[in-house]
Amino acid sequence: QVQLVESGGGLVQPGGSLRLSCTASGILFSISSMGWYRQAPGKQRELVARITSGGNTNYPDSVKGRFTISRDNAEKMVMLQMNSLKPDDTAVYYCNALLGSMMYWGQGTQVTVSS
């Protein structure tokens, strides 16, 4: 059974930083493509960052230069460092794993950017 467990969300002021972590189990982590998505109220879920099994990364323009995704294959973890946070970054953030045609999701962690 695949499990993705996120942690690290919370309340932060604009301009602040947060680091999200996701721990995976039950999956061949080292060959999985891992990602972070987010969903704000009333909006569609959107990709925030992705890192392939080979370490290649991609980000949408909205977070490029502010967010950094990384992975630790030994610990089966994927991290998202978020800097210069804005109120528009407020959302539930979901960890995602893609292995072949199979996609898995975590339960999500709330990130709120507000003064």
Side-chain angles (χ1 to χ4, degrees):
Q1 180 181 358
V2 177
Q3 282 193 314
L4 302 173
V5 180
E6 302 101 333
S7 62
L11 173 65
V12 63
Q13 292 187 343
S17 298
L18 277 177
R19 183 178 175 88
L20 304 183
S21 297
C22 171
T23 302
S25 60
I27 192 171
L28 294 172
F29 184 85
S30 63
I31 62 172
S32 299
S33 175
M34 301 299 297
W36 288 94
Y37 286 70
R38 67 186 180 188
Q39 187 166 21
K43 294 187 177 181
Q44 288 189 328
R45 191 172 295 190
E46 63 176 358
L47 175 69
V48 174
R50 179 157 292 281
I51 183 166
T52 68
S53 58
N56 295 316
T57 59
N58 70 285
Y59 308 89
D61 288 343
S62 58
V63 307
K64 197 171 292 183
R66 300 189 298 123
F67 290 11
T68 303
I69 189 171
S70 59
R71 64 189 295 158
D72 183 336
N73 288 342
E75 297 295 327
K76 296 186 178 181
M77 292 182 66
V78 60
M79 288 71 69
L80 183 69
Q81 178 66 42
M82 304 186 293
N83 298 327
S84 302
L85 283 162
K86 307 174 182 179
D88 284 351
D89 295 318
T90 295
V92 178
Y93 283 69
Y94 296 91
C95 180
N96 170 270
L98 180 62
L99 180 60
S101 61
M102 300 300 294
M103 183 173 284
Y104 305 94
W105 296 94
Q107 81 286 354
T109 185
Q110 177 70 45
V111 171
T112 302
V113 184
S114 175
S115 55

